[in-house]
Amino acid sequence: MELADPVAPAQRWLARLAFLAAAAAVLLVLAVAGLRASLFLVLVAVIGTAAALAAAWWFLTHRGVLRWLAGVIVVLAPLVVAVLFARANLIWVVLVFGLLWTAAVTAGRRALASPTPGDGESAPYESPAPLHPYLIMNPRSGGGKVERHRLAERARALGARVFLLDGPAVDVAEVARQAVRDGADLLGVAGGDGTQALVAGIAAEHGVPFLVISAGTRNHFALDLGLDREDPATCLDALTDGVEVRIDLGLIGDRTFVNNASFGAYASIVQSPAYRDDKIGTTLDLLPRALAGTDERLRLTVDGTTVTGPQAVLVSNNPYAADDIAGLGRRYRLDGGVLGVLAVTVRNAADAAGLISGRGRARSLTVRSTGQVVIDADRPAVPVGIDGESVVLPTPVCCEIRPGALRVRVPRHRPGVPPPPPELDWARLRHLAFIRRG
C-alpha cells in the first residue's frame, strides 16, 4: 500500500525552485566570465571583503590616525572590488547573481516553513475586564508619545486611574505597590522598557495582570508581545476587549527584567554620563577600551561551563532569533521557561570577520538556553544594562528565569507575533525537493 506524501506540492516545488535558482546563479558566473576569470574575481571579492572586515575591527578598536586609516579602507575596499568587476563588464552579472541567490534563499525558507501557522506567541485565554485599572505614564518617554496620542485622557475615559511621572524623581515601584494596596486590579505602564520592567515585577509579585502601552522609544517588549508599536492608543483596547497571556520574567539579583541584561562593552558604554547626549561619539570613544577588556575581565558560567574573557554578554528573557547576535531583533516566544545567553569573545580581526560572516561563530560566539547563569569579574562590581537602564551590581551577578510569572493583558485584536522563520537547511531542502515518500 502506498503511503500518502506528507509534503504539500507547493513546498516540494519551492524546494526545487531554490535549487534551480542557486544552480543558475553559479552557472551564470562560470558561463559569462569563464572559469579562470570567475575564480580570479571570486578571489578579489573574498580579499576585498576580508580587508573591509579587518579594517572595520581596527576602526572600532583604535583611536586617532589608525582609526581613520582603517575607516578609509572600509570605504575603499568595496569600491576597488566594484571597479574591477566593472572593468570586466560584470556588474550586471553580480546584480543577477544577487537576485538569483536571493530567490534561492527565499524559496528555500518558504519550502521549509510549516504549512500550518506556527505558535509564535503565548496562547491567550479569557479573563474578566479589570474594574480598577491603574496606569503609570511617562510624558517624556518616546519623544512625548503620551501627550501626542492623548493616552492619559483616553485611559481616564475608559475608567483607569492615571499617574503621570512628572517633576522630581519618583519611586515608580512604590507608586505601583501603593496602587495595589489601594485596590488596583491591573497595573500598566506607558513608557520605556526599564519602567515596564519595574512595574511588571510588582504586578507579578501581587498576582495582578499587567498592561503594556507602547509609548517608549524602541518598545522591544511590546514588539515581542505582538502589540501595535505605531499607535500606542490601540493598547488601551485591552481594558475593555482584552485577553490574557502568561509569560516569563527574568530576574537579576532582586530586579526584574522583561527584555535583557547586558554586560561588558555595551554596559560600560551606556554607563558613561556622556552617552545620553552623544551616543555615537561616546560609543566610538569608549569602544577601544571596552573591546580590549581592560575595564573588567568577565567570566560567564552556564550549565557547568565557564567562558573566560568575553567582551560582551547578553542574558535575555527567552532567546532571541538564532541569527541575532546583538539582541536587536525579536523573540518569538516569551513563555519558553529559559534564559537566552549570548557571549561574544573576539580577540582580533580574524575573530571579528568570522563572527560577522558566520564562519567563525563557533569559536567567537557562545549561545545557550538555560534557567540560570552567573557572571563574575575581577572587580567587586560591574556595570549592567537592564532593559536599557544603566546600573552597577556587585559580583558575582546571578540571572534566573521565572516561568509564567507575569499575567499580561493584551488587546484581543493586535498585530500578533509571527512564527519563527525556519533555518535554511540544504540537506532537508534536498530531501524535500527530490525524495518522495512511497
Side-chain angles (χ1 to χ4, degrees):
M1 178 179 178
E2 185 174 322
L3 296 177
D5 187 354
V7 179
Q11 287 180 277
R12 192 175 296 283
W13 282 108
L14 281 169
R16 291 169 179 169
L17 176 61
F19 277 98
L20 180 64
V26 174
L27 290 174
L28 173 71
V29 175
L30 296 177
V32 174
L35 180 59
R36 181 176 296 178
S38 297
L39 292 176
F40 172 73
L41 291 172
V42 168
L43 181 62
V44 167
V46 170
I47 293 174
T49 302
L53 291 174
W57 171 253
W58 275 70
F59 182 83
L60 294 175
T61 55
H62 293 76
R63 295 188 179 96
V65 176
L66 282 178
R67 164 170 284 175
W68 297 114
L69 286 175
V72 170
I73 295 174
V74 170
V75 174
L76 287 182
L79 288 178
V80 170
V81 173
V83 168
L84 290 175
F85 272 79
R87 292 185 64 182
N89 295 320
L90 291 178
I91 289 292
W92 71 271
V93 176
V94 175
L95 294 176
V96 175
F97 177 89
L99 290 174
L100 287 171
W101 192 255
T102 300
V105 172
T106 302
R109 288 189 183 278
R110 290 188 177 181
L112 293 172
S114 172
T116 57
D119 57 346
E121 57 186 322
S122 308
Y125 57 90
E126 298 290 337
S127 66
L131 299 177
H132 306 289
Y134 190 93
L135 308 181
I136 299 172
M137 298 188 179
N138 184 351
R140 298 179 299 278
S141 186
K145 288 182 180 179
V146 169
E147 293 184 2
R148 193 160 62 248
H149 293 271
R150 299 172 36 245
L151 296 179
E153 178 183 338
R154 293 183 179 189
R156 291 187 180 108
L158 293 172
R161 293 180 60 197
V162 176
F163 181 90
L164 294 175
L165 295 175
D166 204 4
V170 177
D171 187 340
V172 176
E174 181 54 34
V175 170
R177 288 193 179 94
Q178 185 59 51
V180 174
R181 288 194 290 266
D182 292 341
D185 57 359
L186 176 142
L187 294 175
V189 170
D193 287 341
T195 307
Q196 301 275 5
L198 283 174
V199 181
I202 306 303
E205 177 186 333
H206 293 277
V208 300
F210 181 64
L211 175 65
V212 175
I213 304 171
S214 54
T217 301
R218 289 172 293 274
N219 297 302
H220 285 172
F221 190 33
L223 171 70
D224 296 336
L225 286 169
L227 301 176
D228 188 341
R229 295 193 297 169
E230 301 302 320
D231 184 2
T234 61
C235 299
L236 294 173
D237 294 343
L239 293 175
T240 54
D241 186 21
V243 292
E244 284 190 20
V245 294
R246 278 269 185 184
I247 68 167
D248 308 331
L249 285 178
L251 191 65
I252 177 168
D254 59 354
R255 289 189 54 145
T256 295
F257 61 93
V258 294
N259 292 329
N260 56 61
S262 58
F263 302 79
Y266 175 73
S268 298
I269 291 167
V270 174
Q271 185 75 15
S272 169
Y275 179 76
R276 185 175 296 274
D277 295 326
D278 184 11
K279 291 181 172 60
I280 295 177
T282 304
T283 299
L284 290 176
D285 184 55
L286 297 180
L287 258 182
R289 184 176 179 181
L291 292 177
T294 55
D295 286 335
E296 69 269 330
R297 185 171 172 81
L298 296 176
R299 291 184 298 277
L300 167 72
T301 302
V302 52
D303 296 334
T305 300
T306 299
V307 179
T308 302
Q311 282 98 335
V313 177
L314 185 80
V315 181
S316 58
N317 173 19
N318 284 264
Y320 284 93
D323 59 351
D324 181 11
I325 65 170
L328 299 176
R330 76 180 310 154
R331 296 158 292 172
Y332 290 94
R333 297 203 69 94
L334 290 174
D335 62 351
V338 292
L339 296 170
V341 181
L342 294 169
V344 179
T345 308
V346 178
R347 298 287 175 249
N348 48 49
D351 286 349
L355 181 65
I356 295 171
S357 66
R359 294 181 180 178
R361 288 190 179 181
R363 181 177 65 253
S364 303
L365 186 66
T366 301
V367 183
R368 293 283 192 280
S369 295
T370 186
Q372 184 183 73
V373 60
V374 177
I375 296 92
D376 207 346
D378 293 337
R379 295 169 55 181
V382 291
V384 186
I386 304 177
D387 286 334
E389 302 290 332
S390 179
V391 300
V392 176
L393 296 180
T395 55
V397 181
C398 180
C399 301
E400 299 177 309
I401 192 74
R402 298 175 59 196
L406 183 64
R407 298 163 54 194
V408 181
R409 189 164 181 86
V410 295
R412 188 181 304 275
H413 305 290
R414 61 195 186 282
V417 180
E423 293 185 20
L424 191 58
D425 185 334
W426 288 98
R428 280 185 58 206
L429 203 60
R430 178 179 60 82
H431 189 279
L432 187 64
F434 304 114
I435 299 177
R436 281 188 173 274
R437 181 179 174 185

